[in-house]
Amino acid sequence: MKKGALYLVPAPLDFGCDAPLPPVTDVLPLATLQHMAQLPYWVCENAKTLRALLKRVDAVQPLAQPLQSLQIAEIPRAWHKKGDHQGAPDMTVARTLLAPALQGHDMALASEAGMPAVADPGASLVRAAHLLDIAVVPLVGPSSILLALAASGLNGQNFAFHGYLPQDMEARASRLRQLEQTTYASGASQWWIETPYRNTALLHHALQVLKPTTLLCVGSGLTLPQSDIHTRPVKDWRAITRANGLEKLPAVFGLSRP
Amino acid sequence: MKKGALYLVPAPLDFGCDAPLPPVTDVLPLATLQHMAQLPYWVCENAKTLRALLKRVDAVQPLAQPLQSLQIAEIPRAWHKKGDHQGAPDMTVARTLLAPALQGHDMALASEAGMPAVADPGASLVRAAHLLDIAVVPLVGPSSILLALAASGLNGQNFAFHGYLPQDMEARASRLRQLEQTTYASGASQWWIETPYRNTALLHHALQVLKPTTLLCVGSGLTLPQSDIHTRPVKDWRAITRANGLEKLPAVFGLSRP
């Protein structure tokens, strides 16, 4: 029997942001919206969040079947964030989640914000799909990392993304210095993200730790009306004392040698 | 006077591919198409390519003014590929290219495929925009790197992109081994691209050089009808002897420890 495909479905970057949210057509192409409206089998991080997103899709691209009749499975906790993508996936769990595709139906892996499996759970499910010879089809949508990288003016030919930095102050300071050393040695821009409510504290910490001439990029609320992205030497960031409002918005941070 | 913004305009991933090309609505959201149809001032790699893209946009989202009346400037050769993104931009060149924004008009930086300034020229122009206090607004569209990363099942929490590998066989072998060592040491997935006509030779070379158990991802023709992405141990790739057709499609390569 022909297997179904696993579609990777991106989501807008406004998860957890204050209403009014921009229309999904701002960031999701028609082909992505059409797939979202058609697919009956879903794997996601949180079923409630997915239903809220599909309601927004339904407003511009009517769903092929009622929201209540969709089959939605959640990624197990053990596969979330840090545990995911390490080593071989648990194939018993994977076969259950991928059962629709194994039975010949197209299915979706959804994200809460941006692309699934990029700074987001899901990599284990995708790895398992490859092992089970299920075709994987990524759909186009927004990625805060990619948008920040393009809009930073920093090195987009060579770059590295590091996920979240350590929360412990000492460990974070040493990680920031290590990323700074890396970009001075290689020229590659270095990127990371933080949970919104910690953004301001992280920025202040980075400004303490980094060299005055190192270039720092902060991109926040990308694709939203509040979208803001700046690349400046650390010393110029230090001179900006006003409240930055960063703690309410998803943000991406990057640094580079001058 | 209020300055205009610099919009970063992504392009479909079918540049140089055989017709029929998929509709632009497959990969560009309505908001991106609307901006493309409105913006009168453009900077791009090649004016002819840009006009061909805008004709495709016009078919689904009519342009606000005739194609012939758009003001299109090309990025100087010195800023292409490897020279771009290194050190401070030439501000005399930048002020000329960014003149519309300095005079209060919104303008666009366009790519031939994917996001401008990511594995693509344009970073110097964006850096200059930040230095001149011109707002930079990235629009959503496809990025082969991001799509391959998501669909690979490899580590999407920690990854590095390296642009093009050296063409010299010896230098390339040593670079491939170095990337392999890096992923074994750090767990981060390692990514690069190649010019389509060299894809098959590069793949065969990588299969010679890398360890049998190292995971290799090859994603080609992403977003196109021929879209194909697989992640397999090197030893499994070696067992696949059929012609791969890779030399006609844009492709992204990634590797990871198992």
Side-chain angles (χ1 to χ4, degrees), chain A residues 101-120:
Chain A
L102 292 171
Q103 288 155 22
H105 307 288
D106 287 342
M107 60 179 295
L109 169 63
S111 173
E112 298 203 309
M115 278 302 285
V118 177
D120 207 57

Side-chain angles (χ1 to χ4, degrees), chain A residues 8 25-27 29-31 85 115-117 119 126-127 130 136 140 146 150-153 155-163 229, chain B residues 8 25-27 29-31 85 115-117 119 126-127 130 136 140 146 150-153 155-163 229:
Chain A
L8 306 188
T25 47
D26 274 11
V27 292
L30 184 59
H85 76 253
M115 278 302 285
V126 177
R127 273 283 295 286
H130 286 295
V136 179
V140 175
L146 220 284
S152 68
N155 191 342
Q157 313 276 6
N158 297 87
F159 60 88
F161 176 72
H162 303 279
I229 183 157
Chain B
L8 306 187
T25 47
D26 274 12
V27 291
L30 184 59
H85 77 253
M115 278 302 286
V126 177
R127 273 283 296 287
H130 286 296
V136 180
V140 175
L146 220 281
S152 68
N155 190 343
Q157 313 277 4
N158 297 87
F159 60 88
F161 175 73
H162 303 278
I229 182 158

Side-chain angles (χ1 to χ4, degrees), chain B residues 52-67:
Chain B
L53 173 58
L54 291 176
K55 258 189 207 170
R56 294 168 69 190
V57 171
D58 187 49
V60 294
Q61 185 73 36
L63 303 186
Q65 59 182 85
L67 201 50

Side-chain angles (χ1 to χ4, degrees), chain A residues 1 18-19 55 59 70 77 92 94 113-114 121 123 150-151 153 157 175 179 189 198 210 216 218 224 236-237 250 252:
Chain A
M1 188 179 54
D18 295 340
K55 257 188 208 169
L70 298 177
R77 294 300 304 175
T92 310
Q157 313 276 6
R175 190 90 177 97
L179 298 184
S189 56
R198 292 201 192 101
L210 300 171
L216 179 69
V218 183
L224 304 179
D236 293 3
W237 279 106
V252 181

Side-chain angles (χ1 to χ4, degrees), chain B:
Chain B
M1 187 178 56
K2 198 177 176 305
K3 287 169 189 150
L6 178 66
Y7 287 86
L8 306 187
V9 177
L13 303 180
D14 51 24
F15 178 66
C17 294
D18 295 338
L21 302 177
V24 291
T25 47
D26 274 12
V27 291
L28 299 176
L30 184 59
T32 299
L33 293 167
Q34 285 170 337
H35 277 105
M36 291 174 83
Q38 288 294 333
L39 288 163
Y41 300 96
W42 292 78
V43 177
C44 66
E45 214 171 324
N46 180 298
K48 199 176 151 191
T49 310
L50 176 62
R51 284 195 198 97
L53 173 58
L54 291 176
K55 258 189 207 170
R56 294 168 69 190
V57 171
D58 187 49
V60 294
Q61 185 73 36
L63 303 186
Q65 59 182 85
L67 201 50
Q68 298 73 18
S69 71
L70 298 178
Q71 197 171 304
I72 303 178
E74 292 185 353
I75 295 177
R77 293 301 304 175
W79 281 12
H80 278 207
K81 308 282 176 206
K82 305 198 173 158
D84 200 358
H85 77 253
Q86 306 275 13
D90 179 332
M91 292 306 287
T92 310
V93 175
R95 277 176 193 278
T96 307
L97 290 171
L98 293 169
L102 292 171
Q103 288 155 23
H105 307 288
D106 287 343
M107 60 180 293
L109 169 63
S111 174
E112 298 203 310
M115 278 302 286
V118 177
D120 206 57
S124 292
L125 195 73
V126 177
R127 273 283 296 287
H130 286 296
L131 286 168
L132 295 168
D133 211 22
I134 291 167
V136 180
V137 184
L139 299 176
V140 175
S143 156
S144 59
I145 302 163
L146 220 281
L147 294 169
L149 177 66
S152 68
L154 300 181
N155 190 343
Q157 313 277 4
N158 297 87
F159 60 88
F161 175 73
H162 303 278
Y164 294 87
L165 302 190
Q167 284 174 42
D168 173 75
M169 291 287 277
E170 213 167 304
R172 190 165 69 186
S174 105
R175 190 90 177 96
L176 284 164
R177 284 193 198 98
Q178 187 200 340
L179 298 183
E180 190 174 49
Q181 277 164 18
T182 303
T183 184
Y184 277 83
S186 71
S189 56
Q190 306 292 315
W191 297 87
W192 70 93
I193 52 175
E194 186 47 284
T195 308
Y197 75 89
R198 292 202 193 100
N199 279 339
T200 301
L202 170 68
L203 175 59
H204 289 151
H205 192 200
L207 296 183
Q208 277 171 27
V209 168
L210 300 171
K211 293 179 191 170
T213 52
T214 296
L215 295 174
L216 178 68
C217 174
V218 184
S220 60
L222 296 175
T223 71
L224 303 180
Q226 312 92 311
S227 168
D228 193 46
I229 182 158
H230 291 284
T231 297
R232 303 183 175 104
V234 164
K235 64 175 184 304
D236 292 4
W237 279 107
R238 285 180 189 154
I240 300 170
T241 51
R242 61 182 166 76
N244 56 41
L246 269 187
E247 62 284 352
K248 291 195 170 182
L249 291 169
V252 181
F253 301 83
L255 58 79
S256 168
R257 69 183 183 196

